[in-house]
Short mmCIF file of all heavy atoms in Angstrom, two decimals:
data_model
loop_
_atom_site.label_atom_id
_atom_site.label_comp_id
_atom_site.label_asym_id
_atom_site.label_seq_id
_atom_site.Cartn_x
_atom_site.Cartn_y
_atom_site.Cartn_z
N LEU A 1503 90.82 89.56 93.87
CA LEU A 1503 91.81 90.57 93.48
C LEU A 1503 93.17 90.24 94.08
O LEU A 1503 93.26 89.74 95.19
CB LEU A 1503 91.36 91.95 94.00
CG LEU A 1503 89.95 92.38 93.63
CD1 LEU A 1503 89.60 93.68 94.34
CD2 LEU A 1503 89.80 92.52 92.13
N PHE A 1505 96.47 92.57 94.74
CA PHE A 1505 97.04 93.91 94.70
C PHE A 1505 98.53 93.82 94.94
O PHE A 1505 98.97 93.37 96.00
CB PHE A 1505 96.37 94.79 95.77
CG PHE A 1505 96.96 96.17 95.90
CD1 PHE A 1505 96.78 97.10 94.90
CD2 PHE A 1505 97.69 96.53 97.03
CE1 PHE A 1505 97.32 98.38 95.01
CE2 PHE A 1505 98.23 97.80 97.16
CZ PHE A 1505 98.04 98.72 96.14
N TYR A 1507 102.21 95.64 95.33
CA TYR A 1507 102.76 96.94 95.72
C TYR A 1507 104.18 96.75 96.22
O TYR A 1507 104.66 95.62 96.36
CB TYR A 1507 101.90 97.54 96.84
CG TYR A 1507 102.02 96.78 98.15
CD1 TYR A 1507 102.93 97.17 99.12
CD2 TYR A 1507 101.26 95.64 98.38
CE1 TYR A 1507 103.08 96.45 100.30
CE2 TYR A 1507 101.39 94.91 99.55
CZ TYR A 1507 102.30 95.33 100.51
OH TYR A 1507 102.46 94.60 101.66
N CYS A 1514 101.45 103.64 95.41
CA CYS A 1514 100.84 102.40 95.91
C CYS A 1514 99.95 102.69 97.11
O CYS A 1514 98.85 102.14 97.24
CB CYS A 1514 101.90 101.39 96.31
SG CYS A 1514 102.88 100.77 94.93
N LYS A 1515 100.43 103.57 98.00
CA LYS A 1515 99.66 103.89 99.21
C LYS A 1515 98.34 104.58 98.85
O LYS A 1515 97.28 104.24 99.38
CB LYS A 1515 100.49 104.76 100.15
CG LYS A 1515 101.63 104.01 100.82
CD LYS A 1515 102.49 104.95 101.65
CE LYS A 1515 103.62 104.26 102.37
NZ LYS A 1515 104.45 103.38 101.53
N VAL A 1516 98.41 105.51 97.91
CA VAL A 1516 97.20 106.22 97.46
C VAL A 1516 96.25 105.23 96.78
O VAL A 1516 95.05 105.21 97.05
CB VAL A 1516 97.58 107.37 96.48
CG1 VAL A 1516 96.33 108.00 95.88
CG2 VAL A 1516 98.42 108.41 97.20
N SER A 1517 96.81 104.39 95.91
CA SER A 1517 96.01 103.40 95.19
C SER A 1517 95.36 102.40 96.14
O SER A 1517 94.21 102.02 95.96
CB SER A 1517 96.87 102.64 94.18
OG SER A 1517 97.41 103.54 93.25
N GLU A 1518 96.11 102.01 97.16
CA GLU A 1518 95.57 101.05 98.13
C GLU A 1518 94.38 101.66 98.87
O GLU A 1518 93.38 100.98 99.11
CB GLU A 1518 96.66 100.63 99.13
CG GLU A 1518 96.17 99.58 100.11
CD GLU A 1518 97.26 99.07 101.04
OE1 GLU A 1518 98.35 99.69 101.10
OE2 GLU A 1518 97.01 98.06 101.71
N ARG A 1519 94.47 102.95 99.21
CA ARG A 1519 93.34 103.61 99.88
C ARG A 1519 92.11 103.62 98.98
O ARG A 1519 91.00 103.33 99.43
CB ARG A 1519 93.71 105.04 100.31
CG ARG A 1519 94.47 105.07 101.63
CD ARG A 1519 94.45 106.43 102.29
NE ARG A 1519 95.18 107.44 101.55
CZ ARG A 1519 96.49 107.63 101.60
NH1 ARG A 1519 97.24 106.84 102.36
NH2 ARG A 1519 97.07 108.57 100.90
N MET A 1520 92.32 103.95 97.70
CA MET A 1520 91.20 103.96 96.75
C MET A 1520 90.60 102.55 96.63
O MET A 1520 89.38 102.38 96.62
CB MET A 1520 91.65 104.45 95.37
CG MET A 1520 91.89 105.93 95.32
SD MET A 1520 92.02 106.55 93.63
CE MET A 1520 93.61 105.95 93.13
N LEU A 1521 91.48 101.56 96.54
CA LEU A 1521 91.04 100.17 96.42
C LEU A 1521 90.26 99.74 97.65
O LEU A 1521 89.22 99.09 97.54
CB LEU A 1521 92.26 99.26 96.21
CG LEU A 1521 91.97 97.77 96.09
CD1 LEU A 1521 91.02 97.47 94.95
CD2 LEU A 1521 93.28 97.01 95.91
N ASP A 1522 90.74 100.12 98.84
CA ASP A 1522 90.05 99.76 100.08
C ASP A 1522 88.64 100.35 100.10
O ASP A 1522 87.68 99.68 100.49
CB ASP A 1522 90.84 100.23 101.31
CG ASP A 1522 92.08 99.38 101.55
OD1 ASP A 1522 92.18 98.27 100.99
OD2 ASP A 1522 92.97 99.85 102.31
N ILE A 1523 88.50 101.60 99.67
CA ILE A 1523 87.19 102.26 99.62
C ILE A 1523 86.28 101.53 98.63
O ILE A 1523 85.13 101.20 98.95
CB ILE A 1523 87.33 103.75 99.25
CG1 ILE A 1523 88.04 104.50 100.38
CG2 ILE A 1523 85.96 104.37 98.97
CD1 ILE A 1523 88.54 105.88 100.00
N ALA A 1524 86.80 101.25 97.44
CA ALA A 1524 86.01 100.55 96.42
C ALA A 1524 85.61 99.16 96.91
O ALA A 1524 84.47 98.74 96.74
CB ALA A 1524 86.79 100.45 95.11
N ASN A 1525 86.54 98.48 97.56
CA ASN A 1525 86.26 97.11 97.98
C ASN A 1525 85.38 97.04 99.22
O ASN A 1525 84.79 96.01 99.50
CB ASN A 1525 87.54 96.30 98.15
CG ASN A 1525 87.28 94.82 97.93
OD1 ASN A 1525 86.48 94.44 97.09
ND2 ASN A 1525 87.92 93.98 98.71
N ASP A 1526 85.28 98.15 99.98
CA ASP A 1526 84.29 98.19 101.06
C ASP A 1526 82.90 98.01 100.48
O ASP A 1526 82.02 97.41 101.11
CB ASP A 1526 84.35 99.54 101.80
CG ASP A 1526 85.46 99.56 102.84
OD1 ASP A 1526 86.00 98.48 103.16
OD2 ASP A 1526 85.77 100.66 103.33
N ILE A 1527 82.70 98.50 99.27
CA ILE A 1527 81.42 98.38 98.57
C ILE A 1527 81.29 97.00 97.93
O ILE A 1527 80.27 96.32 98.06
CB ILE A 1527 81.28 99.49 97.51
CG1 ILE A 1527 81.27 100.86 98.19
CG2 ILE A 1527 80.02 99.29 96.66
CD1 ILE A 1527 81.54 102.02 97.26
N LEU A 1528 82.34 96.57 97.24
CA LEU A 1528 82.27 95.33 96.44
C LEU A 1528 82.45 94.05 97.26
O LEU A 1528 81.94 93.01 96.90
CB LEU A 1528 83.33 95.38 95.34
CG LEU A 1528 83.16 96.51 94.33
CD1 LEU A 1528 84.40 96.62 93.46
CD2 LEU A 1528 81.93 96.31 93.49
N GLN A 1529 83.23 94.14 98.33
CA GLN A 1529 83.47 92.99 99.22
C GLN A 1529 84.06 91.78 98.48
O GLN A 1529 83.63 90.65 98.67
CB GLN A 1529 82.16 92.58 99.92
CG GLN A 1529 81.56 93.66 100.78
CD GLN A 1529 82.33 93.89 102.06
OE1 GLN A 1529 82.60 92.96 102.81
NE2 GLN A 1529 82.71 95.13 102.33
N LEU A 1530 85.04 92.02 97.61
CA LEU A 1530 85.71 90.93 96.91
C LEU A 1530 86.87 90.40 97.76
O LEU A 1530 87.52 91.17 98.47
CB LEU A 1530 86.25 91.41 95.56
CG LEU A 1530 85.20 91.81 94.53
CD1 LEU A 1530 85.85 92.52 93.36
CD2 LEU A 1530 84.42 90.60 94.05
N PRO A 1531 87.15 89.09 97.67
CA PRO A 1531 88.34 88.58 98.34
C PRO A 1531 89.57 89.27 97.73
O PRO A 1531 89.67 89.41 96.52
CB PRO A 1531 88.34 87.09 98.00
CG PRO A 1531 86.98 86.78 97.51
CD PRO A 1531 86.42 88.05 96.95
N ILE A 1532 90.48 89.70 98.60
CA ILE A 1532 91.67 90.43 98.10
C ILE A 1532 92.91 89.92 98.80
O ILE A 1532 92.89 89.58 99.98
CB ILE A 1532 91.50 91.95 98.30
CG1 ILE A 1532 92.64 92.70 97.65
CG2 ILE A 1532 91.35 92.31 99.77
CD1 ILE A 1532 92.41 94.18 97.48
N LYS A 1533 93.97 89.85 98.03
CA LYS A 1533 95.29 89.48 98.55
C LYS A 1533 96.23 90.62 98.24
O LYS A 1533 96.37 91.01 97.08
CB LYS A 1533 95.76 88.19 97.85
CG LYS A 1533 97.00 87.62 98.42
CD LYS A 1533 96.66 86.89 99.69
CE LYS A 1533 97.84 86.86 100.62
NZ LYS A 1533 97.44 86.50 101.96
N LYS A 1534 96.83 91.20 99.27
CA LYS A 1534 97.80 92.29 99.07
C LYS A 1534 99.20 91.71 99.19
O LYS A 1534 99.52 91.04 100.17
CB LYS A 1534 97.56 93.39 100.10
CG LYS A 1534 96.19 94.05 99.91
CD LYS A 1534 95.96 95.16 100.90
CE LYS A 1534 94.59 95.79 100.67
NZ LYS A 1534 94.33 96.90 101.60
N LEU A 1555 96.87 95.89 89.99
CA LEU A 1555 95.73 95.15 90.49
C LEU A 1555 95.36 94.10 89.46
O LEU A 1555 95.04 94.43 88.32
CB LEU A 1555 94.54 96.08 90.75
CG LEU A 1555 93.32 95.41 91.37
CD1 LEU A 1555 93.62 94.89 92.78
CD2 LEU A 1555 92.14 96.36 91.40
N PHE A 1570 95.10 103.52 88.72
CA PHE A 1570 93.87 103.36 89.49
C PHE A 1570 92.89 104.51 89.29
O PHE A 1570 91.70 104.34 89.42
CB PHE A 1570 94.22 103.18 90.96
CG PHE A 1570 94.80 101.83 91.28
CD1 PHE A 1570 95.84 101.29 90.52
CD2 PHE A 1570 94.31 101.09 92.34
CE1 PHE A 1570 96.37 100.04 90.81
CE2 PHE A 1570 94.83 99.83 92.64
CZ PHE A 1570 95.87 99.31 91.87
N SER A 1572 90.63 106.61 90.04
CA SER A 1572 89.66 107.08 91.03
C SER A 1572 88.86 105.90 91.57
O SER A 1572 88.87 104.82 90.99
CB SER A 1572 88.71 108.09 90.40
OG SER A 1572 87.91 107.44 89.43
N VAL A 1573 88.15 106.14 92.66
CA VAL A 1573 87.29 105.10 93.23
C VAL A 1573 86.19 104.71 92.23
O VAL A 1573 85.98 103.52 91.98
CB VAL A 1573 86.70 105.53 94.60
CG1 VAL A 1573 85.65 104.55 95.08
CG2 VAL A 1573 87.82 105.66 95.62
N LEU A 1576 87.61 102.45 89.61
CA LEU A 1576 87.84 101.10 90.12
C LEU A 1576 86.53 100.33 90.21
O LEU A 1576 86.46 99.17 89.80
CB LEU A 1576 88.51 101.15 91.50
CG LEU A 1576 89.99 101.47 91.51
CD1 LEU A 1576 90.49 101.62 92.95
CD2 LEU A 1576 90.80 100.41 90.78
N LEU A 1577 85.50 100.97 90.75
CA LEU A 1577 84.20 100.31 90.87
C LEU A 1577 83.70 99.85 89.53
O LEU A 1577 83.23 98.72 89.36
CB LEU A 1577 83.18 101.25 91.53
CG LEU A 1577 83.37 101.49 93.02
CD1 LEU A 1577 82.48 102.64 93.49
CD2 LEU A 1577 83.10 100.24 93.82
N LEU A 1580 85.75 96.83 88.26
CA LEU A 1580 85.75 95.63 89.10
C LEU A 1580 84.39 94.95 89.18
O LEU A 1580 84.27 93.88 89.74
CB LEU A 1580 86.22 95.97 90.53
CG LEU A 1580 87.66 96.48 90.63
CD1 LEU A 1580 87.99 96.84 92.06
CD2 LEU A 1580 88.65 95.47 90.07
#
Side-chain angles (χ1 to χ4, degrees):
L1503 308 174
F1505 175 69
Y1507 69 94
C1514 294
K1515 288 175 179 51
V1516 173
S1517 299
E1518 183 176 13
R1519 277 199 293 278
M1520 286 194 287
L1521 179 58
D1522 287 344
I1523 293 165
N1525 207 36
D1526 277 347
I1527 297 163
L1528 298 169
Q1529 300 287 308
L1530 293 169
I1532 186 166
K1533 188 78 207 164
K1534 296 181 179 181
L1555 184 64
F1570 286 49
S1572 66
V1573 172
L1576 284 175
L1577 287 169
L1580 297 177

